């Protein structure tokens, strides 16, 4: 008989099996106009602080509202599971998902959730391993160290880094002194900077943004390894949204052009050079990695 370690059971529960239960406390935060056909209800996985997510979405929401002729309302939620469950129960129409949360949504909706676009950068996404410890220079040096992932359901802050650590011969629960979950990419940097973890991992886009905005001291916290590329984030619609509306949304994203000043500001906030069409099959590798990591059956 194969015995699954307690931490692995907890990860699997958090990442794949607790969607409905975990969302009970957060779905109540969604607006009460669920049946209003003139409102597009949008949310995103909370991979950054809610205030930052709201700031990033505001100009995009205004643009989408003009493009589709509907009011667009964005509501941050407190956990990844709530976004997946809300798509499945028709409380959301459009959601910003990571690769793993899209796979969860695909499973939860019996394959009806539709990824419509991704940033061009999401086809070659990476995660950065960071540390403030001068002794840590390679992944092998993580043995016996304290380590911080992001959220358990995060593609770039947990799943794919874990997958590549395992390929490098490292089992976090066995080889690291402790494993913590910060909950968000920017929080992981704060963990490492404050010494709450000797190393951690986050997505490359958030790391670059924190460096550019001087919100991380790179003389103290540094990148010591980067994962191979993988598919990550996308914008996904619920499967029973009208085809006409899905086309309007897709066309609106694809029409964003960095050569236009009003579009450039939107794209910069999204950390995107442009949006490109995507498809469900792009995320089959993420599902396979999740099964390898023991996070999906």
């Amino acid at each position: 008989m194969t015995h699954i370690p307690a931490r692995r059971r907890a990860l699997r529960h958090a990442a794949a099996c607790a969607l409905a239960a975990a969302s009970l406390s957060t779905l109540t935060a969604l607006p009460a106009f669920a049946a209003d056909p003139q409102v597009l209800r949008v949310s995103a996985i909370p991979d950054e602080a809610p205030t930052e997510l709201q700031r990033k979405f505001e100009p995009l929401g205004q643009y989408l509202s003009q493009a589709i002729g509907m009011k667009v309302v964005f509501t941050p939620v407190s956990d990844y599971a709530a976004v997946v469950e809300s798509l499945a129960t028709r409380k959301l129409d459009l959601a910003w998902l990571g690769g793993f949360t899209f796979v969860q949504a695909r499973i939860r909706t019996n394959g009806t959730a539709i990824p419509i676009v991704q940033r061009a950068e999401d086809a070659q996404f990476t995660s950065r391993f960071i540390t403030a410890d001068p002794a840590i220079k390679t992944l092998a040096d993580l043995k016996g160290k304290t380590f911080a992932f992001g959220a358990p359901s995060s593609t770039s802050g947990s799943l794919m880094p874990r997958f590549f650590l395992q390929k490098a011969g490292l089992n976090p629960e066995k080889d690291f002194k402790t494993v913590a979950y910060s909950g968000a990419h920017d929080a992981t940097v704060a963990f490492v900077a404050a010494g709450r973890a000797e190393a951690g991992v986050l997505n490359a886009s958030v790391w670059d943004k924190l460096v550019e905005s001087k919100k991380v001291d790179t003389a103290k916290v540094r990148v010591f390894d980067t994962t191979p590329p993988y598919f990550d984030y996308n914008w996904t619609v619920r499967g029973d949204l009208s085809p006409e509306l899905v086309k309007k949304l897709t066309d609106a994203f694809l029409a964003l052009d960095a050569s236009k000043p009003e579009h450039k500001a939107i794209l910069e906030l999204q950390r995107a050079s442009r949006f490109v069409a995507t498809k469900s099959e792009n995320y089959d590798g993420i599902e396979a990695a999740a099964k390898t990591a023991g996070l999906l059956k």
Side-chain angles (χ1 to χ4, degrees):
M1 180 181 293
T2 301
H3 296 278
I4 301 174
R7 169 62 70 176
R8 179 61 53 78
R9 290 199 302 269
L11 278 171
R12 179 177 291 173
H13 179 76
C17 301
L19 295 178
S23 62
L24 289 176
S25 63
T26 54
L27 292 182
T28 55
L30 293 174
F33 44 73
D36 189 342
Q38 297 307 310
V39 175
L40 186 81
R41 301 152 301 168
V42 186
S43 193
I45 56 171
D47 59 349
E48 294 184 82
T51 52
E52 177 64 7
L53 293 176
Q54 189 82 55
R55 182 184 76 87
K56 287 166 54 178
F57 183 77
E58 186 173 355
L60 176 59
Q62 293 172 356
Y63 167 78
L64 291 176
S65 180
Q66 293 175 353
I68 66 176
M70 293 173 61
K71 183 178 181 181
V72 174
V73 175
F74 181 86
T75 302
V77 295
S78 62
D79 64 48
Y80 285 53
V83 181
V84 172
E85 188 67 13
S86 295
L87 270 177
T89 55
R90 303 179 70 249
K91 292 182 174 67
L92 287 175
D93 306 305
L94 175 68
W96 174 245
L97 302 179
F100 186 29
T101 36
F102 167 71
V103 168
Q104 291 175 310
R106 182 168 67 181
I107 293 170
R108 176 65 181 85
T109 63
N110 296 315
T112 62
I114 304 169
I116 55 173
V117 295
Q118 63 185 54
R119 300 171 301 186
E121 291 78 3
D122 290 316
Q124 294 284 317
F125 209 76
T126 59
S127 299
R128 305 275 174 82
F129 289 91
I130 61 171
T131 187
D133 184 346
I136 297 176
K137 296 180 172 62
T138 69
L139 293 180
D141 296 329
L142 292 174
K143 286 190 174 182
K145 303 293 186 181
T146 57
F147 190 86
F149 290 105
S153 288
S154 172
T155 308
S156 51
S158 181
L159 169 61
M160 295 311 291
R162 175 179 289 275
F163 174 71
F164 290 120
L165 284 168
Q166 289 174 336
K167 289 190 72 173
L170 292 169
N171 182 321
E173 279 66 47
K174 291 181 178 180
D175 294 323
F176 299 166
K177 182 177 181 180
T178 62
V179 172
Y181 290 87
S182 72
H185 299 292
D186 46 4
T188 297
V189 176
F191 268 45
V192 174
R196 295 178 63 184
E198 292 167 283
V201 68
L202 73 156
N203 84 42
S205 181
V206 173
W207 171 260
D208 291 343
K209 182 176 72 173
L210 293 173
V211 171
E212 290 166 12
S213 60
K214 301 188 185 305
K215 292 183 178 179
V216 58
D217 181 359
T218 54
K220 179 179 180 181
V221 180
R222 60 185 170 81
V223 173
F224 69 93
D225 206 330
T226 299
T227 67
Y230 51 87
F231 278 98
D232 203 352
Y233 296 90
N234 66 56
W235 282 102
T236 290
V237 295
R238 59 181 175 85
D240 60 348
L241 210 60
S242 76
E244 295 80 11
L245 181 53
V246 172
K247 185 177 187 307
K248 285 183 179 180
L249 285 168
T250 304
D251 290 346
F253 278 107
L254 297 180
L256 285 166
D257 183 348
S259 69
K260 300 177 180 179
E262 66 274 21
H263 290 183
K264 182 180 180 182
I266 294 172
L267 290 167
E268 285 180 347
L269 279 174
Q270 299 298 309
R271 307 290 297 181
S273 58
R274 61 191 174 97
F275 281 93
V276 298
T278 191
K279 56 186 179 180
S280 182
E281 292 81 5
N282 286 343
Y283 299 90
D284 290 349
I286 297 290
E287 182 169 354
K291 289 178 178 178
T292 298
L295 301 184
L296 287 177
K297 295 180 180 179

